[in-house]
Amino acid sequence: MKIVIAGAGIGGLATALSLHRAGFSDIVVYERVAELRPLGVGINLLPHAVRELTELGLAAEVEAIAVKPGRLSYFNRHGQPIWSEPRGTEAGYDWPQLSVHRGEFQMLLVDEVRRRLGNDAIRLDSRLAVVEHGERHEFARFARADGEEFEVAADVLVAADGIHSALRAQEYPEDGAPVWSGLVLWRGTATVPAYLDGRTMIMAGDGEQKFVAYPLEGEGEGEGEGEGEGEGMLRLNFIAERRAPEGTRERADWNRPVDPAPIVELFDAWTFDWLDVPATIAAADEILEYPMVDREALPAWRFGGSVLLGDAAHAMYPNGSNGASQAILDARTLAFHLANRVVELEKTAGTTAADPAATTAAIRAALDAYDADRRPATARLLEMTRRLGPERVMQLAYDRAPEGFADIHDVIPAEELQQIADDYKRTAGFHPSTLNERSSLSARLGPREQMAD
Ligand SMILES: Cc1cc2nc3c(=O)[nH]c(=O)nc-3n(C[C@H](O)[C@H](O)[C@H](O)COP(=O)(O)OP(=O)(O)OC[C@H]3O[C@@H](n4cnc5c(N)ncnc54)[C@H](O)[C@@H]3O)c2cc1C
């Protein structure tokens, strides 16, 4: 069975590794850019995604480039504590939460795909342009930067081509540009004095202005001793966020470097006794500006033998830190259903080769099962991120006590805070009680089915 993946981001690479682990071997990833570089800043891999990475045999490699946050704490814009909860194994999960540099993590997945599937498994300078859905096959047309085009036939095409997905635009021409929330994000990394216990992810502020930070390297782990890293210092990932003035036009491209000075000024008053926000922003190596955008939930992700996956299917706001984790869950669920349907088909066919129509039907049933598992789940999550997700506690604190409070429980009862945190985890599929108990998404073709690849 030939499987083509468009996009070598976290979703596409995790799909290649998941399918390979499940026993498929004819897998090629086509990526638009001519050179893969470690772009982006920090992302969080939540315990449900770390479980999948562990089952893919990647736990040690990813942990080696990660920090395991032990707590997540919310504060108001005056630095007063609203809510704090343990994270990862400290919260009772069997798997940790991992904070990683997006680019470093992507490069780790690239190396692993090349090691396991072969050097030729990722083809660069190949932009998916159009997909034709045949009766049995998908015909994907790709374009190179110099204008040359080529076509590839496949049994399954996975469009993991990000928020500006070509397949999504083709199937939903009315979809238009991503939907902008009116908020602007500034992302950066900075080496600063360690704060709190050195392993806490913090969020301060409210729906209008916010600052999020978490360590990307533990104390003293930095390479650049002599440049200020070392004991008592941490490399921090941060996101500063602010509603844009009326009339600002949004641009949905990553990696637009901006001058830190006006952002430092916006956060001028945010010098808490546990973290100096303006000094952190001023210490950034580089600041990237990005409009906070997402996409509407879709009525279907499968078109013939093609499916959408990751941000192509469900780009959502970063609150909740779930984008990469949901893409990894998509990848594992897709491989699970494809492997199970192919095994079932082989059992039914017995010793005779399955007829091509039955194979196509089995593949499409698998893609529908993936859609049924993942599409409603991510639509609920998308809806929740639009209502601020777990960060709703910060907006509530602001609405009820904009100038601050003596004790948060005078403003928001403890039960209400707990309820908001629990609801989000259930919807996102990582409540400890459900995650630890749920069955594995590992599925594997038998030896006979693998020969049929
Ligand atoms: C350059 C970049 C930097 C990012 N930085 C951050 C960050 O700092 N923090 C954060 O939380 N999230 C970041 N994200 C988003 C985050 O990676 C995703 O939300 C999440 O990991 C889901 O991944 P994905 O694979 O679905 O999409 P993406 O990570 O967007 O990957 C999509 C991939 O498809 C490729 N592609 C696009 N169009 C085509 C096409 N037509 N044909 C073939 N290939 C195509 C892209 O070049 C990219 O490699 C970034 C994304 C990108 C592309």
Side-chain angles (χ1 to χ4, degrees), residues 6-13 30-33 36 39-44 102 106 126-129 142 160-166 187 214 237 239 254-255 288 309-312 316 318 323-325 327:
I10 290 164
L13 296 166
Y30 292 90
E31 163 60 46
R32 178 175 56 96
V33 302
L36 285 164
L39 297 179
V41 280
I43 55 170
N44 271 280
R102 176 198 176 271
Q106 185 190 12
S126 305
R127 176 178 60 81
L128 177 67
F142 290 90
D161 50 349
I163 191 164
H164 300 293
S165 166
R187 296 175 180 263
Y214 51 87
N237 180 79
I239 307 169
W254 287 97
N255 300 312
L288 305 177
L309 183 141
D311 276 7
M316 58 183 80
S325 297

Side-chain angles (χ1 to χ4, degrees), residues 32-154:
R32 178 175 56 96
V33 302
E35 186 196 352
L36 285 164
R37 288 183 299 124
L39 297 179
V41 280
I43 55 170
N44 271 280
L45 301 167
L46 300 178
H48 49 299
V50 177
R51 173 177 181 176
E52 302 312 328
L53 294 170
T54 305
E55 294 187 22
L56 282 173
L58 291 172
E61 288 85 343
V62 184
E63 282 192 24
I65 59 161
V67 166
K68 296 180 189 167
R71 290 202 82 75
L72 169 60
S73 299
Y74 296 90
F75 300 83
N76 65 6
R77 56 169 67 205
H78 310 290
Q80 296 173 310
I82 297 172
W83 170 256
S84 183
E85 61 183 29
R87 296 299 273 193
T89 47
E90 268 116 315
Y93 293 102
D94 292 344
W95 302 272
Q97 174 171 335
L98 300 177
S99 303
V100 289
H101 185 283
R102 176 198 176 271
E104 283 173 30
F105 178 55
Q106 185 190 12
M107 292 306 129
L108 184 156
L109 297 179
V110 165
D111 290 347
E112 213 51 38
V113 167
R114 288 185 172 144
R115 196 174 67 77
R116 294 183 188 189
L117 282 78
N119 260 334
D120 203 27
I122 303 176
R123 316 253 169 104
L124 301 176
D125 189 14
S126 305
R127 176 178 60 81
L128 177 67
V130 183
V131 185
E132 196 189 307
H133 313 298
E135 202 182 321
R136 299 246 186 286
H137 290 103
E138 301 301 288
F139 300 95
R141 180 158 285 279
F142 290 90
R144 301 201 190 282
D146 65 6
E148 186 204 333
E149 292 196 356
F150 60 96
E151 189 175 85
V152 182

